[in-house]
Amino acid sequence: MKYNFVFYTYGLCTMFYAVMAWIFWRKDNSRMSRLMFALMVALWVECVKDLPFLGENSSNNSFIWNLITSIDMIVIPIYAFILMELVRPGTHAFKKILIHEIPFLLLLILYAITKFELFFWVQVGWAAIYGTTYLIWTEINIPRYNKLLEERLSYREHVSLNWLQYILYSFYAMLTLWVISCIYAYAGVEIIYMYGTLIMWMVVCYFIYNQEQVNDELFNKTDMNCVESKVVDDSVAVRIESLFVDQNIFLNPCLKLSDVAKMIGSNRTYVSNYFNRQKQMTFYEYVNRKRIEHACRLLIQTDDNLNAISENSGFNSLSTFHRVFVKLKGCTPTDFRKQV
């Protein structure tokens, strides 16, 4: 009965990974979609590969169990590169994955040929160190990524990585459970691990599928190589102010720093300096302040509902409008309208 449930669990995971592989293959040609496709295919293959070995006889054979686990560890660098692609999109080449795979493949081959358990435990130790390193690296880089968003974009829907913080905690838990499953070849531990990873990947796939690709906007080599100017020319400042005061460009819900730079004939680094140094705030904060000012006028002068006011003020969603309004005004839009 216990092993029937193991088979059911593996069958469920096999179907899920196959469906997600197809979805990410059809999504687009972005680097993230291709990485997710490769990972889902790898996880599907691992599940199919395990099916013939599930059972009491296999679980009692330590070499077979360890070899299966050793093969599974090959996929770990793909996990790491997905995390890298999320926090630093477009900055890592696919060929680096092959380099990262070398230690895992070498230890797997040595263990398969010699059946010497030391090679297996070295691989487990290396996988734990490797995984923990990239989890910590990702956690450190999430604030940097979100700060860069505020400097380059006027919106954060489907681009912010705040959700990844919670996913990382799940990764830590799964990594711990995985190490336990390596030590104890017990079906109950394997079932908990499989269901835990399945639920986690459902959440991760949802967010990654909806994650907007902003590679060019965030990591542009030309801008990154620009020497930052400490002084912004007065004419540039006047032109930027004109765009916001006279043309109300902040009403564009998808406004980006590069759009402003193109309109005034400058580069993004130069324009970013204007907001950070002269306005003492990020591009995201400045644009949203303008949007809230416009929303306040609409709340006073019209009887439009909050959905219409949110949309007409340049916000992508009512929830974002409500959150930013409360942060800047200290009250809800409804309370503001009543007070006025």
Side-chain angles (χ1 to χ4, degrees):
M1 182 68 179
K2 176 176 63 176
Y3 286 98
N4 287 338
F5 195 63
V6 173
F7 275 105
Y8 172 79
T9 302
Y10 267 84
L12 195 64
C13 292
T14 301
M15 287 188 293
F16 172 77
Y17 294 134
V19 170
M20 293 313 301
W22 180 80
I23 288 174
F24 278 103
W25 175 259
R26 293 291 302 272
K27 184 176 184 288
D28 53 48
N29 291 319
S30 67
R31 186 191 298 259
M32 177 56 71
S33 293
R34 290 296 170 253
L35 280 170
M36 285 299 297
F37 166 75
L39 179 61
M40 292 298 111
V41 169
L43 293 175
W44 177 81
V45 170
E46 287 183 355
C47 287
V48 173
K49 171 262 301 178
D50 292 347
L51 289 175
F53 301 100
L54 298 178
E56 295 190 29
N57 294 332
S58 297
S59 64
N60 292 329
N61 189 322
S62 61
F63 172 72
I64 292 178
W65 186 272
N66 291 345
L67 186 63
I68 290 172
T69 304
S70 187
I71 295 172
D72 290 345
M73 283 187 270
I74 295 175
V75 80
I76 291 177
I78 305 180
Y79 281 87
F81 272 78
I82 286 174
L83 293 176
M84 284 188 265
E85 183 64 19
L86 282 169
V87 296
R88 291 195 177 183
T91 58
H92 299 90
F94 280 113
K95 62 183 179 181
K96 286 186 179 179
I97 298 179
L98 299 177
I99 298 174
H100 285 228
E101 288 284 6
I102 291 174
F104 293 96
L105 289 171
L106 183 61
L107 290 167
L108 166 62
I109 293 170
L110 288 172
Y111 178 63
I113 293 174
T114 65
K115 296 185 180 181
F116 188 35
E117 265 196 27
L118 178 63
F119 291 122
F120 170 73
W121 290 113
V122 169
Q123 189 180 12
V124 171
W126 171 244
I129 294 171
Y130 181 92
T132 302
T133 299
Y134 278 99
L135 288 174
I136 295 172
W137 179 86
T138 304
E139 194 160 1
I140 293 172
N141 278 273
I142 289 174
R144 175 185 177 274
Y145 176 90
N146 286 330
K147 182 181 178 182
L148 199 56
L149 285 179
E150 292 193 350
E151 293 177 349
R152 296 293 176 95
L153 303 175
S154 68
Y155 59 97
R156 298 184 69 177
E157 291 82 357
H158 302 309
V159 291
S160 173
L161 290 180
N162 291 330
W163 57 271
L164 188 56
Q165 203 81 43
Y166 302 103
I167 300 300
L168 286 177
Y169 300 145
S170 299
F171 267 122
Y172 281 117
M174 289 301 106
L175 183 63
T176 303
L177 198 57
W178 172 77
V179 173
I180 294 174
S181 70
C182 290
I183 299 173
Y184 302 103
Y186 181 62
V189 176
E190 183 71 9
I191 289 171
I192 294 172
Y193 171 72
M194 293 297 290
Y195 270 108
T197 53
L198 180 63
I199 293 170
M200 184 189 69
W201 275 116
M202 285 179 181
V203 178
V204 172
C205 286
Y206 169 79
F207 281 107
I208 291 181
Y209 185 84
N210 290 294
Q211 184 77 5
E212 184 178 330
Q213 298 297 313
V214 289
N215 301 12
D216 293 337
E217 193 65 31
L218 296 187
F219 298 92
N220 182 275
K221 293 182 180 180
T222 303
D223 280 355
M224 291 173 69
N225 293 329
C226 283
V227 178
E228 293 192 6
S229 173
K230 294 184 178 181
V231 180
V232 178
D233 187 88
D234 288 340
S235 63
V236 171
V238 169
R239 278 180 284 167
I240 293 175
E241 282 296 309
S242 176
L243 291 175
F244 282 90
V245 175
D246 300 328
Q247 300 183 36
N248 291 341
I249 61 170
F250 57 84
L251 297 181
N252 175 8
C254 297
L255 185 67
K256 301 183 289 291
L257 192 75
S258 59
D259 298 331
V260 179
K262 288 177 184 177
M263 290 175 188
I264 66 168
S266 183
N267 66 63
R268 290 183 296 192
T269 303
Y270 200 64
V271 175
S272 181
N273 288 338
Y274 167 76
F275 293 106
N276 293 331
R277 291 172 179 159
Q278 291 200 15
K279 293 298 182 181
Q280 297 295 305
M281 65 183 76
T282 65
F283 177 68
Y284 174 81
E285 292 169 334
Y286 182 79
V287 173
N288 279 336
R289 283 180 183 274
K290 288 292 185 182
R291 288 170 176 168
I292 294 300
E293 289 174 7
H294 185 78
C296 287
R297 290 193 292 271
L298 295 179
L299 286 167
I300 296 171
Q301 298 170 6
T302 73
D303 294 325
D304 294 345
N305 60 42
L306 295 185
N307 277 310
I309 289 176
S310 169
E311 184 178 344
N312 293 332
S313 299
F315 287 96
N316 282 307
S317 67
L318 180 60
S319 60
T320 302
F321 167 59
H322 189 275
R323 175 175 51 81
V324 176
F325 196 99
V326 171
K327 180 180 178 180
L328 295 180
K329 294 298 180 180
C331 64
T332 65
T334 302
D335 290 338
F336 176 85
R337 175 175 265 170
K338 288 178 181 179
Q339 292 169 9
V340 174

